[in-house]
Amino acid sequence: PELPPMVGLAATATFRALSPPRAGDAYAGLDGHLAALADAPGPPVVVFQDLDDPSAAATFGEVMCTTYKAFGSVGLITSGTGRDIDQVRPLKYPVFTAGTCCAHGNCHILSLNVPVVVGGIPIYPGDLIHGDCNGVTTIPSEIASEIPGACAEFMDAEKHVLEYVRTGTPTATGFSEACAAMKAAVSYTHLTLP
């Protein structure tokens, strides 16, 4: 949560650790993933779908994060677990995980640059990803240039509700009026408001 927001393009992969890889060692597939990062058209965000359910071992640890960062990755997202959190924190490399697990397991990367699902969100290779202390989301490329303006406008519009409820004597009617004022202040009609 103490790191700044992360923005980059998804470099997707599937991961498994429950059983040994059919070929190679515990880092089978890592070389190919690192080579794919070099071909990324922008700052890559490593995105893993852990195919073991439940997670059998950590998707990342200090070695993986240090390696990915050295190869230009700006962060890592996994549907699985992570480890070495105390060692990863000083790297200032954002990681988003479903939990922690001390197990190393038989880690191997099965597929690269394929559609994956993380946290119920389908992520495709090259998708624009934003992550911060509130979580991770994808941003459709066709509206990416509108996001800064929409966010500023939305935050300004929210002041109608926030200032009203902070008065100390809010009512349901007053709240409804503040919500109507907030909605009226937003010109980005394709955004969903409460």
Side-chain angles (χ1 to χ4, degrees):
E2 63 275 358
L3 295 177
M6 167 197 74
V7 177
L9 302 175
T12 61
T14 58
F15 170 90
R16 176 154 276 151
L18 185 60
S19 58
R22 292 180 183 232
D25 61 14
Y27 288 102
L30 180 58
D31 292 350
H33 206 198
L34 296 174
L37 294 183
D39 296 332
V45 174
V46 173
V47 182
F48 281 112
Q49 179 177 349
D50 186 344
L51 299 177
D52 297 329
D53 188 17
S55 179
T59 306
F60 70 83
E62 180 182 16
V63 171
M64 294 285 281
C65 290
T66 302
T67 301
Y68 279 124
K69 184 176 180 181
F71 277 81
S73 170
V74 295
L76 184 148
I77 303 164
T78 179
S79 63
T81 56
R83 65 188 186 97
D84 299 340
I85 303 304
D86 286 338
Q87 291 77 26
V88 171
R89 188 175 286 115
L91 298 174
K92 300 206 180 300
Y93 180 75
V95 293
F96 299 86
T97 178
T100 58
C101 176
C102 62
H104 185 280
N106 297 292
C107 305
H108 52 287
I109 298 168
L110 299 168
S111 303
L112 299 173
N113 295 319
V114 295
V116 297
V117 177
V118 177
I121 299 173
I123 301 175
Y124 296 86
D127 275 0
L128 184 59
I129 304 283
H130 176 275
D132 64 19
C133 63
N134 297 299
V136 177
T137 191
T138 57
I139 300 170
S141 59
E142 59 272 9
I143 66 163
S145 64
E146 298 178 50
I147 297 298
C151 289
E153 185 175 302
F154 190 77
M155 289 170 57
D156 209 40
E158 284 181 322
K159 290 178 185 174
H160 291 283
V161 172
L162 293 172
E163 289 172 3
Y164 175 72
V165 296
R166 289 176 179 152
T167 64
T169 56
T171 65
T173 301
F175 181 77
S176 292
E177 290 169 357
C179 284
M182 179 179 76
K183 288 178 183 180
V186 176
S187 66
Y188 287 90
T189 57
H190 55 276
L191 296 177
T192 302
L193 301 174

